[in-house]
Amino acid sequence: MKAVVDKSLCVACGACADTCPWVFRMGADGLAEAYRGFGRTELDAAEDAAQDCPVGAITLSRSSSCCRLRRSKSCRCRSF
């Protein structure tokens, strides 16, 4: 599974990296990034991080090749 952070929305609060550090980290630009995929064992924490994001910048996808179009009707990934 895969997480995508929309950096144009990210406010660098660090909540996702605190909640789920094995998927999210703060990048060199100071913004959050999803640096690796995750499995079922990390799913709950990844979902918590996405729900806790104050600006809704995180999208979770079952697909490893998510189209990266956040909440778009043209997105063909199988989002949660």
Side-chain angles (χ1 to χ4, degrees):
M1 291 177 248
K2 184 174 183 171
V4 176
V5 177
D6 183 340
K7 290 191 175 218
S8 70
L9 296 175
C10 181
V11 294
C13 69
C16 57
D18 290 342
T19 302
C20 190
W22 44 92
V23 176
F24 302 98
R25 65 181 174 200
M26 302 310 288
D29 58 1
L31 301 175
E33 63 184 14
Y35 69 99
R36 63 179 289 265
F38 61 94
R40 297 243 178 251
T41 56
E42 297 99 353
L43 179 59
D44 286 342
E47 285 179 331
D48 288 345
Q51 291 172 0
D52 292 345
C53 179
V55 293
I58 299 171
T59 301
L60 304 179
S61 172
R62 295 180 198 272
S63 172
S64 61
S65 59
C66 178
C67 64
R68 297 179 184 259
L69 297 175
R70 187 179 170 275
R71 296 183 185 146
S72 169
K73 290 181 181 177
S74 61
C75 180
R76 289 192 170 83
C77 67
R78 296 170 293 182
S79 296
F80 291 91

